[in-house]
Each structure stands twice: as structure tokens, then as C-alpha cells.
Amino acid sequence: MYSVTRFSLAPSFYHPIYVISDSEMAQLKLQQHQEEIDSVVDQRKRLEDAYEKQKRHLLEREKCLKSELQALAPSTNNPVKETVEKAVDALKDTAKKVVA
């Protein structure tokens, strides 16, 4: 009924079937699970390393930007500015006294 020629011309969906014992199947599952655990642990370590690198980069950038912002922002405790403001106030008082 099935000849060698017909078997060789069979559709490509044919897959060989392997028969193994229950103990071999258990060992195969154990090996597959261990490989998956190793892969998950490796991925987790790489993800944690990438997170730490990104965190360090962002902290350094934040520090740099804060220092630049502080350098660019006008100082509220500028002694020259305070002296000029006091002089202007004194001139205004003097001008009021002269006019009055």
C-alpha cells in the first residue's frame, strides 16, 4: 500500500517521531528547564547592569545641568546689585527732599 516512492514524495509536513523512555523525557525536561532558568538569570543580570548604567548616566547629567543652571541663574545675594539698589534708593530720597 505504501511504497518507498510514495514515502519519498510525501508532503513536507512529515516529521519524524522519536520514542524515548519516561526517565529520558524527565531528564530532557529537567535540562530544558535548567537552560531556561540560566537564560532568565542572564537576561536579568544584563537588564540590571543596563539599568544601573542608565541611572548613573542620568544622575551625572542631572548634576551637570544643575551646576549649569546655577551658573546661569542670577544670584539673589549679589553684593553689587544690593549696593546699586541702596544707592538708587538714597538718590530717590535725596531727590524727594530737594523737590519738597
Side-chain angles (χ1 to χ4, degrees):
M1 185 166 172
Y2 291 103
S3 67
V4 175
T5 310
R6 185 171 182 156
F7 182 76
S8 65
L9 297 175
S12 61
F13 61 86
Y14 170 78
H15 297 287
I17 298 174
Y18 298 99
V19 178
I20 58 173
S21 67
D22 289 340
S23 62
E24 288 176 322
M25 184 65 178
Q27 183 149 358
L28 182 62
K29 283 184 178 182
L30 180 70
Q31 180 183 357
Q32 287 175 342
H33 288 316
Q34 187 61 47
E35 288 173 357
E36 187 174 356
I37 288 173
D38 293 343
S39 173
V40 167
V41 169
D42 183 51
Q43 288 177 9
R44 183 179 49 81
K45 286 181 182 178
R46 284 188 282 129
L47 182 62
E48 288 173 352
D49 289 343
Y51 170 78
E52 288 299 322
K53 286 179 184 177
Q54 186 68 17
K55 183 179 173 182
R56 272 187 264 123
H57 170 73
L58 290 174
L59 288 172
E60 288 174 11
R61 184 68 181 145
E62 179 185 11
K63 184 179 176 182
C64 179
L65 288 173
K66 282 183 178 180
S67 66
E68 287 180 13
L69 183 63
Q70 190 176 24
L72 293 174
S75 176
T76 57
N77 295 330
N78 188 347
V80 174
K81 184 178 179 182
E82 290 176 4
T83 305
V84 170
E85 288 175 354
K86 287 179 184 177
V88 169
D89 289 339
L91 287 173
K92 285 180 184 178
D93 289 339
T94 306
K96 284 181 184 178
K97 289 179 185 176
V98 171
V99 173

